[in-house]
Amino acid sequence: MFKKFEEKESVTGVTQLKSSAQRGIRAKLLDEYSHCEDYLNQIVPKKEAMKIVKCHDHVEIIAIGNELLFFRQRDGPFMPTLRLLHKYPILLSHQQVDKGAIRFVLSGANIMCPGLTSPGGKMAPADKDTVVAIMAEGKEHALAVGILKMSTGDIASINKGVGVENVHYLNDGLWHFRTVK
């Protein structure tokens, strides 16, 4: 999604949201990330001005101040940016890939089932279409955010094909996108 994302070409507009729209987004975030309600109050304070950055391919990025917090495509789920996920790793469940998959994930490839089920991989139980953090064997921080294409039970039993769709990874266009005007 963000492989060829460049600020000058991809951003179509930045809008400061009305307080009613901010309340709606806060409610949706609290619904999606109910397990970390205390942290969401720190991440998305009620009194801060929230902006929405509209981009090509129906991508919306939520920003407070100059910090990019969450993004989504069309009416999909809100996903935290990697910078936010590094500060608050509790936001998403973690799926770990083995060392051999790291360079492929960092180039934008989807995560294949064998990379999750090999001896270096670990999976936390999760359902299909769940937003997850992709961790790497031996590393502290997440290297990607993805969406499960199968439940973790199916990944373990089938062990073939794409297990997680890579949506946002280290050093992609969103990672390098820093300023919101």
Side-chain angles (χ1 to χ4, degrees):
M1 180 185 308
F2 294 107
K3 199 169 201 169
K4 295 180 180 175
F5 184 85
E6 292 182 24
E7 182 179 350
K8 292 177 182 173
E9 297 171 9
S10 299
V11 175
T12 57
V14 178
T15 309
Q16 184 162 340
L17 295 174
K18 296 180 185 176
S19 59
S20 59
Q22 289 182 25
R23 281 194 302 274
I25 289 175
R26 276 183 53 80
K28 187 159 175 72
L29 288 170
L30 286 169
D31 183 46
E32 289 180 20
Y33 299 100
S34 59
H35 62 282
C36 43
E37 184 174 344
D38 297 336
Y39 295 109
L40 278 174
N41 290 327
Q42 294 173 10
I43 297 167
V44 187
K46 291 180 181 177
K47 300 290 182 185
E48 292 286 329
M50 188 184 295
K51 295 177 186 172
I52 192 152
V53 181
K54 296 200 179 233
C55 307
H56 290 295
D57 299 328
H58 304 280
V59 174
E60 298 176 334
I61 305 170
I62 294 174
I64 293 182
N66 281 335
E67 190 173 3
L68 304 174
L69 301 176
F70 294 92
F71 66 94
R72 72 175 177 178
Q73 187 169 21
R74 297 194 187 271
D75 290 329
F78 281 107
M79 296 174 257
T81 62
L82 277 171
R83 292 187 192 282
L84 180 65
L85 190 60
H86 288 173
K87 291 179 190 173
Y88 299 96
I90 191 170
L91 287 174
L92 298 176
S93 68
H94 296 184
Q95 310 298 332
Q96 181 175 305
V97 296
D98 60 3
K99 287 182 180 178
I102 295 172
R103 69 183 180 120
F104 297 107
V105 174
L106 290 177
S107 65
N110 291 330
I111 292 84
M112 306 305 281
C113 293
L116 294 165
T117 58
S118 67
K122 293 179 187 169
M123 290 188 293
D127 295 327
K128 180 181 177 185
D129 295 326
T130 303
V131 179
V132 294
I134 306 301
M135 309 300 285
E137 179 183 7
K139 304 295 180 192
E140 179 184 352
H141 295 293
L143 62 126
V145 174
I147 300 173
L148 283 172
K149 291 289 133 196
M150 308 180 212
S151 69
T152 52
D154 289 345
I155 290 172
S157 63
I158 297 171
N159 201 22
K160 189 182 276 186
V162 175
V164 182
E165 178 188 353
N166 190 345
V167 180
H168 169 40
Y169 54 94
L170 288 174
N171 290 325
D172 68 358
L174 183 58
W175 175 261
H176 290 292
F177 181 35
R178 296 211 181 233
T179 57
V180 178
K181 296 175 181 148

